[in-house]
Amino acid sequence: MGSVLDEDLNVAMKAFAKTPKRNEPCPCQSGKKYKDCCAKSGPRRAGSPSSSK
């Protein structure tokens, strides 16, 4: 019974560890902080209208 709970906890911890903190550089390589980039609108895609400005 305890192993199911441990497995769920491990999955949740791995998902949390992959999310960058607000003031870390954004993983999309834009050079911006995560809070000013993908945290607001989600990951940026190549060729999107907002990136062509």
Side-chain angles (χ1 to χ4, degrees):
M1 212 185 220
S3 64
V4 173
L5 181 59
D6 292 338
E7 184 177 324
D8 289 343
L9 182 60
N10 286 336
V11 170
M13 288 174 57
K14 286 179 184 178
F16 180 75
K18 291 179 184 177
T19 305
K21 294 192 175 24
R22 288 177 43 83
N23 289 319
E24 290 182 355
C26 192
C28 76
Q29 304 295 320
S30 68
K32 297 179 180 181
K33 290 183 179 181
Y34 179 70
K35 68 180 179 182
D36 294 328
C37 191
C38 293
K40 291 183 178 179
S41 63
R44 301 198 181 223
R45 295 187 182 105
S48 66
S50 62
S51 65
S52 63
K53 289 185 178 179

